[in-house]
Amino acid sequence: MTERPPIDPGQARIRPRISWTDANGSHTVEIRDARTAGSAPGCDFVIADRAVSRLHLALTPREDGLWIKDLASRNGTYVGGMKVTEARVPSNAGIRIGTTDITITFGTASVPDVPMEQPEAFGPLNGRAPTMRELFAVAAEVARTDASVLILGEDGTGKDALARAIHDASPRATTPFVVIECATLPDPLAAAEVLEEALRSAEGGTLVLDEPQALSLAIQRELVPPIDAKAFRAIATSSRDLRPLVNQGAFREALYFRLAGRTLSIPPLREHIADLPLILEKLLGDKQSLVTPSLLEDLQRLPWPGNVREVTNYAQRLVASGGEMILVPEPPDPESQAEPAFDTAEFATMEAPILDPNEPQVSFGGIQPWFETGFKEFREKWIELGEREYLKRLMLRTNRSSSAASREAGLERTYLYRLLKKHGV
């Protein structure tokens, strides 16, 4: 991956423009960064069309053109008459959402870009690739404001670290920094108490909601007023795009727009693999000689599905072995990426490991690799597996009666529905 040359302040850049006509008239806008189009008033581009979903379409300008992504819309997104989920749109192509036709053209930017300083690090995150340097520059700019921030990225990309770095670079740096790991909260009643305490603790500082889509709809509704009161800065981190969840009714629109004052997306490592030498250099310090040129070449060919967290674990093992453990991790088998299947009998044997060497050890089958990941990743996978198995047994015991299941589990019925839908039970 090669770095982009500095931008000449006097040189205009080529940017995509979209044009459409709806109930409010004709519109032409230039797209400078990632945007959302839909019928909701909070969207970047509001389409006055009742057949358009509230958050219908994501538009992202990249080096190779304009990319669009349907956000689980009600009526779909069409390019050239073909329904698409995600696609790169050529110039003069037509996009249809609802009953509205959108035309894409590429022209000279109306206002020349003014170059922004693009650092190679922000907090503990490092990167020389253009996407990372742009991310760091925008994050530094956002940190100086009080805007809420939504940080998106795959597991292991550094969302938590970026949230902390934004807080540390903000005027609130000396104030409380409170993190709520929403996926690990207890039942809705206890979760409300935990949140209430966290809101008090975060006053004047920063409140981070990690994976807020795990919260019940009732609790999501209760979060809106305190965020509006601006007693703290809200940052949300998520491994999922929340916009499709809004369209599916699984995430409250009001909360989404309050969290997404600014949205930052951390690219997966495979999209800036040229940064791997720099990342290893920072992780290994004076031990970086353990990574020989040939080893580095092998490492850069790997997909690193666990991203920087996986590289961190590998670097720690490399140092612990004194350089003897230089074997490159095996590239994952595509078929192994699916969730392992478990039958009831196997799950029933998954107890805590027995420490007495004379006693037989429990076999954990297909989940053995989970024990070699970071603790947070392990916990997320373990909780997901446990929730899925619990729900299967719960619905079996209650003959799939939602009212009986909600009573037995002590869950609100709407929250139970969300869990059943999430796990496909």
Side-chain angles (χ1 to χ4, degrees), residues 391-421:
L391 292 169
K392 286 179 181 177
R393 299 183 184 206
L394 173 68
M395 300 312 288
L396 182 64
R397 286 196 306 273
T398 58
N399 268 339
R400 299 200 65 82
S401 167
S402 58
S403 57
S406 62
R407 283 196 304 272
E408 180 174 330
L411 298 173
E412 294 179 1
R413 196 178 301 186
T414 54
Y415 184 57
L416 175 64
Y417 288 152
R418 290 178 61 240
L419 287 174
L420 293 173
K421 184 175 181 180

Side-chain angles (χ1 to χ4, degrees), residues 18-81:
I18 62 172
S19 303
W20 76 94
T21 300
D22 58 20
N24 290 335
S26 297
H27 316 266
T28 298
V29 292
E30 183 178 283
I31 305 179
R32 300 174 62 85
D33 49 23
R35 297 289 179 173
T36 304
S39 59
C43 286
D44 301 303
F45 305 139
V46 180
I47 312 295
D49 179 346
R50 297 179 65 179
V52 169
S53 294
R54 302 287 287 175
L55 293 89
H56 196 112
L57 182 68
L59 304 103
T60 306
R62 298 178 184 166
E63 296 292 340
D64 58 348
L66 179 67
W67 284 79
I68 63 170
K69 177 184 178 183
D70 183 82
L71 300 173
S73 64
R74 184 172 66 253
N75 295 320
T77 298
Y78 295 81
V79 176

Side-chain angles (χ1 to χ4, degrees), residues 153-191:
E154 294 180 4
D155 288 340
T157 50
K159 299 185 295 295
D160 297 342
L162 182 58
R164 180 76 209 205
I166 289 174
H167 172 80
D168 290 344
S170 76
R172 300 176 185 262
T174 59
T175 63
F177 180 80
V178 179
V179 179
I180 300 176
E181 296 186 353
C182 302
T184 64
L185 290 177
D187 62 83
L189 182 60

